[in-house]
Amino acid sequence: KAGVTQTPRYLIKTRGQQVTLSCSPISGHRSVSWYQQTPGQGLQFLFEYFSETQRNKGNFPGRFSGRQFSNSRSEMNVSTLELGDSALYLCASSLGTGEGLNEQFFGPGTRLTVL
Amino acid sequence: AQSVSQHNHHVILSEAASLELGCNYSYGGTVNLFWYVQYPGQHLQLLLKYFSGDPLVKGIKGFEAEFIKSKFSFNLRKPSVQWSDTAEYFCAVNLYGNNRLAFGKGNQVVVIP
């Protein structure tokens, strides 16, 4: 079956703008998590959505937000972009319940560059 | 604070050499443990996972890992590496029943033919 897809793959924005990234999970998966990957900080958890509700949240400022739709697709939004937001943003999906709660499958990521 | 530590960030090996990557975590409670691999230009892929049971876990491509609860460790091993094992390897941990993964900084492994 198809894997996790993310759009767009690459994005260039300027400081102060906002951006929306999209993630389509594996069919049947109800949990979507977002991570930020940078050379300095590594992989950091942003938030998780399950059944259209935010279930977990990492330590990122309120400029980072997300949502999940009834078909489990998820979007994350970053407002008032800063240079430090340049990163690879990864989406991961999982079943979200039972033992499968914890095995996450990652998408290819969206490379965001802020100028 | 909860954390995951991976040492020796850069590892260079010759083909057929053995590989061992260390992973230590600081978490209270029951944990799930993972090793992910990121090949050049590809996305993160799951190598192996530990939820419960036999602490010696076998994964794809000949990799295995051993969970030692008393040492809070989950070290990854491969007896004989190939050039195609060149990649970045990440250890990850979460609390049982929680999807929030904490990752180590990764090990960049280069295998020389």
Side-chain angles (χ1 to χ4, degrees), chain B residues 17-75:
Chain B
S18 63
L19 172 68
E20 179 160 359
L21 302 177
C23 174
N24 290 91
Y25 62 93
S26 61
Y27 271 79
T30 302
V31 295
N32 296 313
L33 300 152
F34 307 84
W35 275 96
Y36 282 88
V37 60
Q38 194 168 33
Y39 297 105
Q42 297 188 28
H43 59 276
L44 274 171
Q45 300 172 40
L46 184 67
L47 260 184
L48 46 77
K49 63 189 181 192
Y50 174 80
F51 287 171
S52 63
D54 189 343
L56 187 60
V57 179
K58 294 194 184 300
I60 60 171
K61 304 187 181 186
F63 284 91
E64 64 179 29
E66 185 176 12
F67 170 50
I68 303 179
K69 190 174 180 180
S70 61
K71 294 185 178 180
F72 298 90
S73 69
F74 189 56
N75 294 348

Side-chain angles (χ1 to χ4, degrees), chain A residues 51-90:
Chain A
S51 291
E52 302 178 65
T53 302
Q54 188 180 84
R55 186 159 68 172
N56 276 298
K57 188 177 188 305
N59 300 321
F60 279 80
R63 299 186 298 107
F64 292 82
S65 62
R67 59 178 176 168
Q68 187 180 34
F69 302 95
S70 58
N71 61 358
S72 294
R73 190 177 69 85
S74 176
E75 290 181 346
M76 68 163 280
N77 184 277
V78 188
S79 63
T80 320
L81 283 166
E82 300 176 0
L83 294 178
D85 297 333
S86 295
L88 181 66
Y89 290 89
L90 296 172

Side-chain angles (χ1 to χ4, degrees), chain A residues 9 31-33 35 37 40-45 48 55-59 88 90 94 96 98-109, chain B residues 9 31-32 34 36 38 41-46 49-52 88 90-106:
Chain A
R9 294 292 310 278
S31 168
V32 173
S33 297
Y35 295 83
Q37 186 176 21
Q41 299 299 317
L43 281 149
Q44 294 185 288
F45 174 81
E48 181 210 6
R55 186 159 68 172
N56 276 298
K57 188 177 188 305
N59 300 321
L88 181 66
L90 296 172
S94 71
E99 191 166 293
L101 171 74
N102 297 305
E103 181 171 350
Q104 296 182 43
F105 297 84
F106 283 81
Chain B
H9 183 66
V31 295
N32 296 313
F34 307 84
Y36 282 88
Q38 194 168 33
Q42 297 188 28
H43 59 276
L44 274 171
Q45 300 172 40
L46 184 67
K49 63 189 181 192
Y50 174 80
F51 287 171
S52 63
E88 190 153 20
F90 294 93
C91 179
V93 180
N94 64 8
L95 292 174
Y96 185 83
N98 187 319
N99 254 357
R100 178 177 179 161
L101 277 172
F103 284 87
K105 295 288 191 187

